[in-house]
Amino acid sequence: MRKHNQILLQGNEASAMGAMAAGMRFFAGYPITPSTEIAEYLSIHLPQVCGTFIQMEDEISSMAAIIGASLGGVKSMTATSGPGFSLMQENLGFASMAEIPCVIVNVMRGGPSTGMPTRPGQGDVMQSRWGTHGDHPIIVLCPNSVLECYTLTIDAFNLSEKYRSPVIVLMDGIIGHMWENIVVPENIEIIERLEPEVPPEWYRPYEALPCGDIVRLAPFGEGYRFHVTGMVHDKSGFPTLIHEEIEQCLNKLISKIKNNLHDIIRIDEYRLDDADICIVAYGSVARSAKEAVDIAREEGFKAGMLRPITIWPFPRFHLEDIARKVKMIIVPEMNYGQIYGEILKSCPGKTLRITRVDGELITPDQIMEKIEEAVL
Amino acid sequence: MIRTSEAIYKYLRPDKKYPHVWCPGCGIGIVTGALVRAIERTGLTKDEIALVSGIGCSGRISTYLDFNTLHTTHGRALAFATGLKLAKPSLTVIVVMGDGDATAIGGNHLIHSCRRNINITSLIINNNIYGMTGGQYSPTTPMNHIASTAQYGSIEKTFDICKIVEACGASFVARGTAYHAKMLDALIERAINKKGFSVVEALSQCPTQYGRRNKLGGPVEMLQWYKDNAIPYPAFKKLSPDEIGEKFPIGVMTDLDEPDYLERYNRIIKEAGSEGQ
Ligand SMILES: Cc1ncc(C[n+]2csc(CCOP(=O)(O)OP(=O)(O)O)c2C)c(N)n1
Ligand code: SF4
Ligand SMILES: [Mg+2]
């Protein structure tokens, strides 16, 4: 039954609403199925709050524009799907390197290239980690419900502000296009961009602070004249080829994420306490996996589920903890095993995969079959 | 006019490790001087200016000048600048690009920036070559000229940058050269003061990668060539095809008063019933 404060929302719409609740006031994008509803929603609602919506000439410029806007001091985002996500990679790397907060929603379709625009897939998991060239940090969140489309988009903005990093919300086409009744949560904490703590003469935008604190990003035009580049830079932001400065620049970039895994990683555990079979699933597949766990339990199998909500950085420590306790790990994915491969690194020998790439979702029955197979 | 030493101390960054990357005799330094003098003439403060550049020898300008500077990716400077300008309209946004930057890899952003008539000033430093990467041919390398990737002479037609941006809707279009440095000051100043999208194409000698290969002489001869062949636009229009030969027009070619992008966007905000947040 529908409660009075519930509203019926689509995943994409919920993500757009979450973004606005997080204070996002600049969106640049290029239409692409199955993400377009985000742009359409924002084209109506951003102007109502004096925000900016712009449809750019492609996804390369969309990604560039949100970086520019963020440097203007405005929280910004774009939304796309596979082909557009590919076009964004170079500038996504720029945001990572220049440490400019911004959010990218990628609603995954099936298959490589144009693939299956109207069918879901999870084929961009590795691209979201390694799509842009060079070692770089990234944060990727993966919602499995309409409610999470809302809350994780807010989370994405918070993490992006906190760690001065691009954050990707990786949904699959099912989640983006799914409709659910949700109660829009109130009073979610929003992290705002704060002004630098030091006067302009003291400002070094890329300095490594003691205790791993991250220098606040000054908006352009407020007296803090500094340089932003995608080149390896010194602590003031200027290109450098001095060995120590190069190392400092790149180490700082990686360690700001690596040293804060406890804060960045979100997971969901379901009936894992006494489990000896662990299903690892994310996005829409986690919904089937949860159902499969319940069926398995009814049939006497001790199954449980680990759902990485933050898929990058990968919750390796959580997984390894669980792996010590269970006999078998099963990884269902709408791809050929991208997270499966990641799990193999930690737990070879007891990990099985379920792959489905025909544009259909993975069903609880399919997972059940694998559980039965694993136990035999 | 601001004295050179004054301009240097006022606008160049003291804390950057010089020397700069440009070759001796390169025209980009002259264009940089013109840009700085033009900015001085507008009376804008350094804090009010964002200088956005692409990748190339030209793109390095942003490193040396003391503004809010953004050194972007190859070809994408205008797209970054679009986001910045819309997010913070109070900034005066100036974009510096090379010919390859602006018209090859970034051609799409150039034509759409014109079409939107967004209030940004672009300075395209056209040296007819990909300077930074070692002299490969660009969309403005003249037909039959030699480049490191056109060893038998380029067989591609060249872009006329001014004609393209005019056709695409830029509000202000002008061409200058590194030889006509004082004129360049004035053109850039007018472009900055112009509301809407403005383009100044600055022809600039690249003796190292373009001049040498094509036996155009050193920087002096290349500057001399600009002097000999540049014709003020009004006079150029009167030339017969026979008289034109290698000659090209300089000066202001388009100067329109049209609503810019933000003016139109404000209409949307009104219509959307803004809650004034
Ligand atoms: C995506 C991408 N492709 C290629 C390059 C290599 N690249 C750097 S500068 C440049 C050309 C520069 O030519 P131009 O824009 O005319 O600037 P100039 O150096 O002549 O001032 C190229 C091809 C790059 N940096 N990025
Ligand atoms: S290569 Fe050409 S454009 Fe680049 S700095 Fe040298 S002379 Fe100037
Ligand atoms: Mg060039």
Side-chain angles (χ1 to χ4, degrees), chain B residues 80 101 151 237 266:
Chain B
F80 281 78
D101 213 20
Q151 302 282 356
K237 278 193 289 192
N266 281 335

Side-chain angles (χ1 to χ4, degrees), chain A residues 54-362:
Chain A
I54 184 167
Q55 183 171 306
M56 294 298 288
E57 51 273 18
D58 55 28
E59 289 86 349
I60 301 174
S61 48
S62 301
M63 188 64 221
I66 68 167
I67 298 170
S70 188
L71 270 169
V74 176
K75 288 185 184 176
S76 62
M77 92 165 188
T78 185
T80 190
S81 181
F85 194 51
S86 290
L87 288 183
M88 287 177 184
Q89 294 304 324
E90 187 193 9
N91 288 335
L92 184 61
F94 183 97
S96 199
M97 179 65 148
E99 303 186 61
I100 313 294
C102 54
V103 171
I104 300 97
V105 180
N106 177 19
V107 191
M108 289 180 283
R109 51 170 64 190
S113 187
T114 307
M116 296 174 282
T118 57
R119 293 293 164 88
Q122 294 182 316
D124 306 351
V125 169
M126 277 297 162
Q127 188 189 21
S128 71
R129 178 63 196 89
W130 293 116
T132 194
H133 56 281
D135 287 314
H136 62 279
I138 195 76
I139 299 172
V140 182
L141 306 178
C142 199
N144 81 333
S145 67
V146 171
L147 179 61
E148 270 193 2
C149 286
Y150 183 87
T151 55
L152 287 187
T153 304
I154 296 180
D155 243 5
F157 277 97
N158 285 346
L159 289 170
S160 119
E161 290 298 330
K162 196 164 173 188
Y163 294 104
R164 269 181 64 182
S165 170
V167 176
I168 296 164
V169 180
L170 193 64
M171 328 207 260
D172 56 70
I174 295 176
I175 299 298
H177 273 171
M178 187 167 67
W179 291 82
E180 283 183 304
N181 272 326
I182 69 163
V183 178
V184 176
E186 281 166 30
N187 306 322
I188 297 184
E189 190 205 356
I190 306 289
I191 298 181
E192 297 300 347
R193 181 109 35 111
L194 298 174
E195 278 170 25
E197 286 160 305
V198 297
E201 318 81 80
W202 287 72
Y203 189 58
R204 303 282 177 274
Y206 298 97
E207 194 171 8
L209 295 179
C211 309
D213 284 357
I214 294 163
V215 178
R216 294 172 182 175
L217 182 65
F220 271 12
E222 301 294 325
Y224 291 82
R225 294 188 306 275
F226 60 101
H227 188 58
V228 178
T229 178
M231 299 185 77
V232 173
H233 42 266
D234 62 18
K235 63 185 176 193
S236 302
F238 295 111
T240 181
L241 286 175
I242 298 169
H243 295 160
E244 297 80 58
E245 289 182 347
I246 297 171
E247 275 206 326
Q248 264 167 28
C249 168
L250 299 177
N251 285 345
K252 196 199 77 171
L253 211 56
I254 302 296
S255 57
K256 75 175 175 185
I257 302 295
K258 218 170 91 186
N259 295 344
N260 290 293
L261 295 180
H262 58 283
D263 184 48
I264 296 169
I265 288 180
R266 288 135 174 75
I267 56 153
D268 183 16
E269 293 185 346
Y270 185 62
R271 302 182 84 164
L272 265 179
D273 284 346
D274 62 339
D276 46 32
I277 299 167
C278 171
I279 303 170
V280 181
Y282 52 93
S284 65
V285 179
R287 300 170 76 98
S288 299
K290 192 175 174 202
E291 179 85 22
V293 166
D294 290 341
I295 300 171
R297 287 271 171 180
E298 270 169 36
E299 295 188 10
F301 301 108
K302 282 188 185 169
M305 175 178 74
L306 167 68
R307 179 167 71 94
I309 296 172
T310 307
I311 52 174
W312 302 115
F314 189 70
R316 183 166 310 286
F317 299 127
H318 295 88
L319 176 81
E320 286 172 357
D321 254 5
I322 294 162
R324 273 191 283 277
K325 294 179 221 149
V326 301
K327 298 199 186 92
M328 192 58 65
I329 296 171
I330 298 175
V331 193
E333 291 178 272
M334 289 191 284
N335 59 43
Y336 280 104
Q338 298 192 12
I339 284 294
Y340 165 76
E342 199 58 25
I343 294 175
L344 275 190
K345 286 189 198 165
S346 297
C347 337
K350 54 167 143 182
T351 309
L352 298 175
R353 68 178 135 178
I354 303 172
T355 61
R356 180 150 202 183
V357 293
D358 62 355
E360 291 300 329
L361 50 149
I362 293 177

Side-chain angles (χ1 to χ4, degrees), chain B residues 28 56-58 97-101 125-132 136 138 140 206:
Chain B
I28 297 176
C57 298
S58 323
M97 297 166 281
D99 46 319
D101 213 20
I125 302 185
N126 181 2
N127 53 13
N128 308 94
I129 204 80
Y130 287 173
M132 176 138 277
Q136 299 78 22
S138 89
T140 59
C206 168

